[in-house]
Amino acid sequence: MAQTHEIKAESRKDEGKGASRRLRRASYVPAVVYGAGQPAQSIQIEHNTILLAAKHEWFFSSVLDLNVDGKVQKVLVRDWQKHPFKQQMMHMDFLRIDENHAIRVNVPLHFLNQEKSDAAKTSGVVISHNLTEVEVSCLPKDLPEFIELDLAGLKPGDIIHLSQLTLPKGVEIVALHLGADHDTTVVTANTVKEEAEEAPAAEDAAAEAAPAAAAPAKDAKK
């Protein structure tokens, strides 16, 4: 079962750009929580709380316990705005969830034991991770923080598709419901062949003609 992650917040009444600027100067992040048939609620969160949480992939892919003034709500991060160059979160949107209804979330992929595979040990083989996350559908209680893919058995020339991922119980990959054409490649182990440069035939002919051209011409008839 996924670990519980709690984010503490406070309700706020002041809204608008001026109020948001004042919050940021006070080291708070203005945010909104909405959904589940309830009115949208304006909240504020200490910036350090968000900054530390955002360093972990679970913050963006897990169901969070958003504690607003002591009342806990189950939410997902739905949107966020960062400063163009400062290490500062400008705004957050959280979506309330209904624990009895399926949710769709992008979940990170963790690649295991790649260095132990035959593909990794073979010269000239390039292993590509074509996807680093995958959209899944499941009930909130079944949402994994990540999906593991064991590459220990990867061989040169192998291709791993979405349909080959091992999923936790109750979890489905959204793309696979759209048909076989959406069974996207996740990992490839391609052999890169270095082609020897072939000298053009014209160069060979020129090389053979070089000695003849270098020979001195016969004196003209006096």
Side-chain angles (χ1 to χ4, degrees):
M1 189 174 180
Q3 184 178 349
T4 300
H5 303 287
E6 183 176 275
I7 303 295
K8 291 188 177 181
E10 303 169 19
S11 58
R12 62 184 174 97
K13 296 180 180 179
D14 292 340
E15 298 185 21
K17 293 183 178 179
S20 293
R21 283 195 293 268
R22 288 193 294 273
L23 280 176
R24 295 184 190 108
R25 285 197 295 269
S27 298
Y28 278 86
V29 179
V32 174
V33 55
Y34 61 93
Q38 301 177 42
Q41 181 182 15
S42 297
I43 61 174
Q44 61 190 42
I45 308 173
E46 288 187 0
H47 188 266
N48 281 346
T49 297
I50 292 294
L51 192 63
L52 291 174
K55 294 180 182 295
H56 303 277
E57 61 185 9
W58 55 255
F59 182 64
F60 300 100
S61 61
S62 299
V63 174
L64 307 175
D65 283 346
L66 183 65
N67 186 331
V68 182
D69 300 333
K71 182 180 179 180
V72 175
Q73 309 173 61
K74 298 286 185 180
V75 301
L76 290 169
V77 173
R78 266 298 174 249
D79 195 16
W80 63 92
Q81 298 172 15
K82 295 180 68 176
H83 193 280
F85 55 88
K86 293 181 181 178
Q87 196 176 18
Q88 182 181 12
M89 195 71 78
M90 304 292 287
H91 189 272
M92 302 287 304
D93 283 351
F94 296 94
L95 175 66
R96 297 188 191 96
I97 61 169
D98 184 337
E99 295 186 80
N100 296 314
H101 288 79
I103 55 177
R104 290 169 58 160
V105 182
N106 286 332
V107 174
L109 295 174
H110 286 187
F111 302 96
L112 308 179
N113 301 317
Q114 176 174 302
E115 69 284 353
K116 298 178 181 179
S117 68
D118 289 344
K121 295 176 182 178
T122 302
S123 177
V125 173
V126 176
I127 300 174
S128 300
H129 299 167
N130 299 326
L131 295 178
T132 56
E133 62 180 18
V134 61
E135 186 181 23
V136 303
S137 174
C138 63
L139 289 174
K141 68 180 181 65
D142 296 325
L143 180 64
E145 290 187 7
F146 52 83
I147 294 173
E148 294 181 339
L149 176 55
D150 192 344
L151 298 179
L154 191 69
K155 295 180 174 54
D158 280 355
I159 300 175
I160 299 176
H161 293 87
L162 282 176
S163 58
Q164 295 172 264
L165 295 179
T166 300
L167 303 175
K169 183 179 179 180
V171 178
E172 298 178 341
I173 294 177
V174 174
L176 296 181
H177 289 285
L178 302 177
D181 291 344
H182 294 269
D183 191 7
T184 310
T185 300
V186 179
V187 174
T188 57
N190 293 322
T191 301
V192 179
K193 296 181 180 179
E194 296 182 2
E195 297 182 359
E197 295 183 2
E198 297 181 0
E203 291 184 9
D204 293 340
E208 293 177 0
K218 292 183 180 179
D219 292 339
K221 193 175 183 179
K222 294 181 180 180

